[in-house]
Amino acid sequence: MNGIRKTDKTRAFAMRCIAIALVLAFVASACVAKMAFVQLLGRSTAIAAEQERTSRITLNAKRGRILDTNGTVLAQSLERYNIVADPMLANEFEPVKCTKRTESYCHQINGKSLDVTGAAAVARLLASVLKGTNAMELGAKMSDSNRRYVVLAKDVTPEIKRKITALHLGGIVYGELTNERVYSDGTLLGPILGGIDDEGKGVAGLEASLDDTLNGTDGYQVYQRGNNVGEQIPGTLTESKEAVNGSDVTLTTDGDVDWYVKKALLDGIKKYNASWALGVVYDLKTGGILALEDTDEYEAGSDAAKLNSSRVVSSTFEPGSIGKVFSMAGELQEGLHKATDRFTVPDTITTSDGQTYKDAETHGAEQWTYAGILKNSSNVGMIMAATNYSDEKRHEYLKKFGVGTLSGLDLAGESAGMLGNWQDWDLRTRNTVLFGQGYTMNALQITRAIATIANGGVMPSLKLVQSVTDAQGHVTEAKTGASTRVVDEDVAKQVLNAMESVSDLYSNMVSVPGYRIAAKSGTAEVAGDDGTLSSIISDWSGIIPADNPRFVITVVMKDAKVGSFGGLTAGPVFADIGEFLMQKYNVPTSAKRTDAIPVEW
């Protein structure tokens, strides 16, 4: 019996041990499971926290500058900041009252502690330095506590950003570096420079056509940011790429000349009561455009400058009698005439196809040379001289002088004008093209055509961009397009000589003391606001000095009420600009004229 009881006790003890072992095993398993869970959860939480702290910050590339030929900055991007808030942290914000211990990081406005907390308190602090905003608007932007990013203000200056930093809102409010495009000369070259959009992309003018050159490549940094200060935690930068700034572009324009041209044009429309005026100055020595202005007052970068092209490139019109230069040059080149050929010119002519043409002024039968026909701007004389000048040749030389062809400057909004196919000309148009009617041009095209005569018969390639300087300072001179010979040098000299006689005719109104001028004026009817031929274009394009050509200046006016002929309105403005150029560039005075081709016989 004793043995049985001992066996039962042993069995019972063993069962208790097994039970205890099972309990301990269960507890150990639970602990291991708990430990694994805690480790996994902790790792997941750590990863989540790290991801929460990790920021990818864009390093904005600065857009390149646009400068004039003197290095004067016309457009540049200045350091600015977008002020950003974390609404979740803003709603948890508790202002720190100012004491001796907390004075380096406390929060107050004008020496007074805040009586609110959360986003409202953050908004009040910001409104005290962000002028033009109010606390209610700022608070509303931060009201959604589930958001982590909201832009409160754009293009804030570094000075304001420093004031925001002094509010001790690190981690809640911070600044992201950006750039603001600013233009230094107001309405000068307004639509020519154009503007950029909110994303910093060029959308008009040179800002658009040169966008790839001016625009840089943004960089970035990936790092962890502390919640308390909002700054980078040292040693946490994991990835980065430097921003590459855009290239600077230097133009051929001279700010002083452009300013003076603008002033002369504005004075001109006031003096002659004109609707608008425009002007171009081309430097034969450098091949660059020195000025291209109109009387519109659109500030560069403004919506108006983005929506409107400069009249210099967008306005096309019949050049009027300036077109006689192209016809005369073509006929001389084809060997049909010389400038000394003699004509007896009445004031009216009826052609064999029954079309009648008149000169602008009544006169008797005048004995003029071809040079005299140009000097007196005779439509009748031009028709008489073109007897053997075929329609196909008339069209060919107009095309050679650039009619209907873009200037090559790649300016936004430029119109090529209109030149119809010679086979489509009607009986009247085939003759009106001889004196600048029946086709249209813009001021740049006229300037290039007259520069062809000044350049010995070779059409130059106009240039507006002088050079490009990349972010490393490497300078690349802009390539100059190919020049094209249009007429022989001797032909160009004869036409230039006749154009100087034109200027002599207007010497009482158009003169630059000490300098000879070769020019041609024009007047043409154009469509007015009512769609009928109720408006007048008055233009003048000239070369100065005539004996040693340096500059070509074109001035155009619309609806001048005080004198409508180009020589009476656009001409004097030309002279004003010419005199300024002679003084600024210290151009030697002209030799006395001794080789004038006779204009009468």
Side-chain angles (χ1 to χ4, degrees), residues 61-275:
K62 184 176 289 188
R63 190 172 177 84
R65 300 176 299 170
I66 301 177
L67 308 95
D68 80 348
T69 190
N70 302 313
T72 301
V73 177
L74 304 176
Q76 64 179 322
S77 295
L78 299 181
E79 177 185 345
R80 294 292 184 264
Y81 292 86
N82 289 339
I83 303 304
V84 178
D86 183 329
M88 186 182 79
L89 295 180
N91 281 277
E92 297 172 355
F93 174 66
E94 292 284 346
V96 177
K97 289 189 177 181
C98 290
T99 65
K100 287 186 177 180
R101 184 174 61 84
T102 65
E103 61 183 0
S104 63
Y105 58 89
C106 64
H107 306 97
Q108 61 181 2
I109 300 175
N110 296 327
K112 295 181 179 180
S113 299
L114 282 79
D115 56 1
V116 292
T117 62
V122 175
R124 287 190 186 182
L125 287 167
L126 288 172
S128 67
V129 296
L130 277 176
K131 304 305 179 185
T133 63
N134 62 64
M136 291 184 64
E137 291 175 351
L138 294 172
K141 290 182 178 181
M142 295 182 286
S143 62
D144 187 352
S145 60
N146 293 318
R147 297 183 65 185
R148 301 306 306 270
Y149 184 95
V150 63
V151 177
L152 301 179
K154 290 185 175 182
D155 295 329
V156 167
T157 64
E159 178 186 8
I160 297 299
K161 191 261 185 184
R162 287 193 292 271
K163 290 182 179 180
I164 291 173
T165 300
L167 295 174
H168 312 303
L169 294 171
I172 300 173
V173 177
Y174 53 93
E176 290 185 344
L177 180 63
T178 183
N179 299 294
E180 180 187 14
R181 198 68 167 170
V182 295
Y183 302 88
S184 59
D185 280 336
T187 63
L188 292 182
L189 294 173
I192 296 295
L193 293 174
I196 63 174
D197 62 15
D198 291 340
E199 303 301 320
K201 180 178 177 58
V203 293
L206 290 173
E207 293 278 27
S209 62
L210 298 172
D211 190 57
D212 289 343
T213 301
L214 295 167
N215 209 22
T217 303
D218 290 343
Y220 63 87
Q221 288 183 340
V222 178
Y223 58 79
Q224 293 182 42
R225 184 162 52 196
N227 284 334
N228 292 328
V229 296
E231 303 296 338
Q232 178 182 345
I233 298 175
T236 63
L237 179 65
T238 59
E239 189 179 354
S240 67
K241 181 181 179 181
E242 291 297 321
V244 179
N245 292 333
S247 298
D248 291 343
V249 175
T250 299
L251 304 181
T252 62
T253 58
D254 185 314
D256 294 338
V257 177
D258 198 80
W259 172 84
Y260 195 86
V261 169
K262 182 87 168 184
K263 177 182 180 299
L265 295 172
L266 289 170
D267 290 346
I269 63 170
K270 183 177 180 180
K271 180 177 181 179
Y272 300 108
N273 193 19
S275 299

Side-chain angles (χ1 to χ4, degrees), residues 4 152 175 257 267 287 450 454 487 544 562:
I4 294 172
L152 301 179
V257 177
D267 290 346
I450 297 302
V487 295
I544 184 170
V562 182

